[in-house]
Amino acid sequence: MTPEEKNIFPVFHEILSREEKENLLKQRARVIWLTGLSSSGKTTIARHLEEELFSRGFLTQILDGDNVRTGINKNLGFSAEDRFENIRRIAEISKLFLQCGIITINCFISPTEEIREMARHIIGEGDFFEIYINAPLNICEGRDVKGLYCRARRGEIKEFTGVTAPFEVPETCDLEIRTDLMTVKESVQKVLNFMLPLIEVK
Ligand code: ADP
């Protein structure tokens, strides 16, 4: 069924454009999509990256797995179907921020190529930048920031990525950060160097 047949009439043309909002903010909106295992460093990098961007006058919004799952996605679990729906909604939210001229920094394990492709498709090529936050499983498990690997190994968490659910290594990521080989500062700097030309107004 088309939107019209469902009595839905989206209005896009009469509202202020993304470009007008980007010009107001003096930035180009983008989605910075951090993918990687739990404890690989997504949240740490996002927090520092946001501070660096803020100090340079950029307006950003971090979208983080746990925050989203306590709010808009609190009815979703971790089955393959729910993980897909989780990312679909996040991609749609990111798109709203894009329309508002705002840069989002997204921290989601987003474990499969299919899920990341869906996000890329919704957000749009050219606005979606996939950054693989990579550290080997044993390093992530050693960090175990939230104690989740420990609980997964004890069988208390089902379908835990890297332990009992797959993580597919990104094949087409825009940038890879090896957090086992670099400091937090170096990692953030590398993301910053990559993103700045894409968000600066020329
Ligand atoms: P995630 O959000 O991917 O689950 P977190 O950011 O919560 O991971 O945890 C990553 C942990 O790894 C933190 O304790 C952080 O201090 C540590 N760490 C070590 N090196 C790095 C690095 N280069 N980049 C990001 N985090 C790092």
Side-chain angles (χ1 to χ4, degrees):
M1 252 204 288
T2 66
E4 286 77 12
E5 284 164 343
K6 286 194 259 178
N7 297 322
I8 296 170
F9 300 91
V11 176
F12 293 119
H13 55 284
E14 288 161 1
I15 53 181
L16 281 173
S17 72
R18 166 178 167 181
E19 199 183 351
E20 284 165 299
K21 293 177 183 179
E22 287 180 330
N23 290 342
L24 176 76
L25 295 169
K26 299 183 179 61
Q27 66 184 36
R28 295 284 162 245
R30 298 283 185 260
V31 176
I32 305 172
W33 194 282
L34 308 181
T35 175
L37 290 169
S38 183
S39 287
S40 61
K42 300 179 295 298
T43 310
T44 305
I45 290 173
R47 281 205 335 262
H48 288 86
L49 179 66
E50 181 168 58
E51 279 169 19
E52 291 293 334
L53 291 173
F54 189 80
S55 71
R56 288 167 172 78
F58 293 100
L59 186 61
T60 56
Q61 174 67 48
I62 292 179
L63 298 176
D64 186 274
D66 288 352
N67 295 357
V68 169
R69 280 184 178 277
T70 57
I72 193 160
N73 285 355
K74 69 178 177 188
N75 61 330
L76 299 178
F78 291 89
S79 66
E81 195 181 38
D82 278 7
R83 282 177 193 261
F84 204 81
E85 177 61 11
N86 181 45
I87 298 298
R88 190 193 68 77
R89 290 184 199 171
I90 289 153
E92 292 288 354
I93 294 166
S94 306
K95 211 167 142 184
L96 292 175
F97 277 106
L98 272 180
Q99 294 307 323
C100 223
I102 293 167
I103 298 149
T104 61
I105 307 171
N106 295 17
C107 313
F108 298 97
I109 297 174
S110 34
T112 65
E113 287 285 71
E114 189 188 20
I115 273 183
R116 295 185 293 262
E117 258 322 295
M118 185 248 305
R120 182 187 294 274
H121 182 73
I122 290 171
I123 290 160
E125 198 79 43
D127 286 328
F128 176 92
F129 293 89
E130 185 180 318
I131 301 184
Y132 178 26
I133 307 302
N134 184 12
L137 178 63
N138 65 317
I139 300 285
C140 294
E141 194 160 354
R143 290 174 181 164
D144 206 4
V145 180
K146 301 173 202 157
L148 297 176
Y149 284 98
C150 201
R151 292 187 52 209
R153 293 286 180 201
R154 287 204 302 260
E156 292 170 13
I157 307 174
K158 293 197 169 48
E159 301 186 87
F160 189 74
T161 305
V163 179
T164 44
F167 181 83
E168 295 171 10
V169 171
E171 282 172 17
T172 55
C173 64
D174 296 286
L175 188 70
E176 179 179 351
I177 306 290
R178 283 292 301 264
T179 65
D180 55 324
L181 304 178
M182 284 192 283
T183 64
V184 172
K185 201 163 185 263
E186 288 165 344
S187 304
V188 173
Q189 192 61 49
K190 193 170 170 189
V191 180
L192 201 56
N193 292 347
F194 176 74
M195 285 311 302
L196 277 177
L198 298 163
I199 58 175
E200 280 167 343
V201 175
K202 306 234 158 56

